[in-house]
Amino acid sequence: ETGVTQTPRHLVMGMTNKKSLKCEQHLGHNAMYWYKQSAKKPLELMFVYNFKEQTENNSVPSRFSPECPNSSHLFLHLHTLQPEDSALYLCASSQPAPEAFFGQGTRLTVV
Amino acid sequence: QKEVEQNSGPLSVPEGAIASLNCTYSDRGSQSFFWYRQYSGKSPELIMSIYSNGDKEDGRFTAQLNKASQYVSLLIRDSQPSDSATYLCAVIWTGNQFYFGTGTSLTVIP
């Protein structure tokens, strides 16, 4: 069982839909992250949470809304997305050790 | 603009050879460096971390760090077909913000 679990693994949504991605970590980490991975582009850091507090928002459009109710759970709420938002969305966790561990990702397709 | 740069490849090596992957970074103050392996359709998997200048060995993998040259590399000895993947270099700028290169695609030819 992976220490970082993401659901769903695949998601197809229309541009007017609202959906949420979920991430749960069982590693006792204090920091959680959302990354976006598009083809031929580096992993893009979207949001960082430390001890449930958001410490980084890398100019992410407001149609992406993160939520971190506790140090083990992280959500990414999606609404009115665009086709260019189709990508692999990865959750990761770390701290106190610096190494980050990733979940299996959610493959999102916006139609 | 903080950047992590890697040659995208593809890099092809015969089975049993040494694969050499390179990464440069722009922030001289960076302290923590990582190599991740990502198989097609899968998430990145941590394979090496290095924090001080010099070499760090773990099995067939050796990470090399030169902070003066802002350069980190990964050597894979006795390359196997199962090593075929994309290798991502990651750097922590400050705190716990990880930034990644675009990755180098490695193919090990049997």
Side-chain angles (χ1 to χ4, degrees):
Chain A
E1 177 188 325
T2 179
V4 183
T5 304
Q6 288 187 245
T7 55
R9 295 291 304 277
H10 300 273
L11 178 63
V12 179
M13 61 185 289
M15 289 189 284
T16 59
N17 291 159
K18 291 184 180 181
K19 297 286 185 183
S20 295
L21 310 184
K22 179 182 176 181
C23 177
E24 183 175 0
Q25 59 96 0
H26 308 277
L27 301 170
H29 288 163
N30 301 319
M32 297 187 76
Y33 313 78
W34 281 117
Y35 282 89
K36 175 184 178 182
Q37 188 174 37
S38 304
K40 301 194 185 304
K41 294 177 73 174
L43 278 164
E44 299 174 49
L45 179 63
M46 300 175 72
F47 301 104
V48 180
Y49 278 83
N50 286 285
F51 295 97
K52 303 189 303 177
E53 299 299 320
Q54 186 180 123
T55 56
E56 185 71 22
N57 175 340
N58 271 357
S59 302
V60 180
S62 59
R63 58 186 183 269
F64 295 92
S65 175
E67 178 189 0
C68 188
N70 54 61
S71 293
S72 299
H73 293 85
L74 184 65
F75 296 89
L76 187 63
H77 303 300
L78 315 171
H79 65 96
T80 59
L81 295 191
Q82 304 299 311
E84 60 264 29
D85 297 321
S86 298
L88 180 67
Y89 288 84
L90 291 159
C91 173
S93 69
S94 73
Q95 297 295 320
E99 292 86 358
F101 295 90
F102 285 85
Q104 296 296 80
T106 295
R107 174 69 61 186
L108 173 67
T109 303
V110 181
V111 297
Chain B
Q1 179 80 8
K2 295 178 177 175
E3 293 182 342
V4 180
E5 296 195 2
Q6 296 180 253
N7 187 328
S8 61
L11 173 66
S12 295
V13 299
E15 184 174 355
I18 296 175
S20 178
L21 306 164
N22 304 315
C23 173
T24 59
Y25 57 94
S26 62
D27 185 4
R28 187 172 291 277
S30 301
Q31 296 296 321
S32 303
F33 307 86
F34 308 88
W35 283 99
Y36 286 80
R37 177 177 62 200
Q38 187 173 24
Y39 292 114
S40 180
K42 303 294 186 181
S43 61
E45 172 193 11
L46 179 68
I47 53 172
M48 290 288 286
S49 58
I50 187 166
Y51 306 106
S52 55
N53 280 328
D55 295 358
K56 179 182 178 182
E57 186 175 318
D58 183 359
R60 296 186 296 110
F61 298 98
T62 298
Q64 299 175 316
L65 176 61
N66 183 326
K67 290 185 179 180
S69 300
Q70 296 174 232
Y71 175 94
V72 57
S73 65
L74 179 70
L75 300 178
I76 306 175
R77 290 182 301 281
D78 188 25
S79 295
Q80 302 297 309
S82 58
D83 295 326
S84 298
T86 296
Y87 289 80
L88 303 172
C89 173
V91 177
I92 293 181
W93 302 128
T94 58
N96 57 345
Q97 297 180 39
F98 286 76
Y99 288 87
F100 288 80
T102 52
T104 298
S105 175
L106 172 67
T107 300
V108 180
I109 304 168

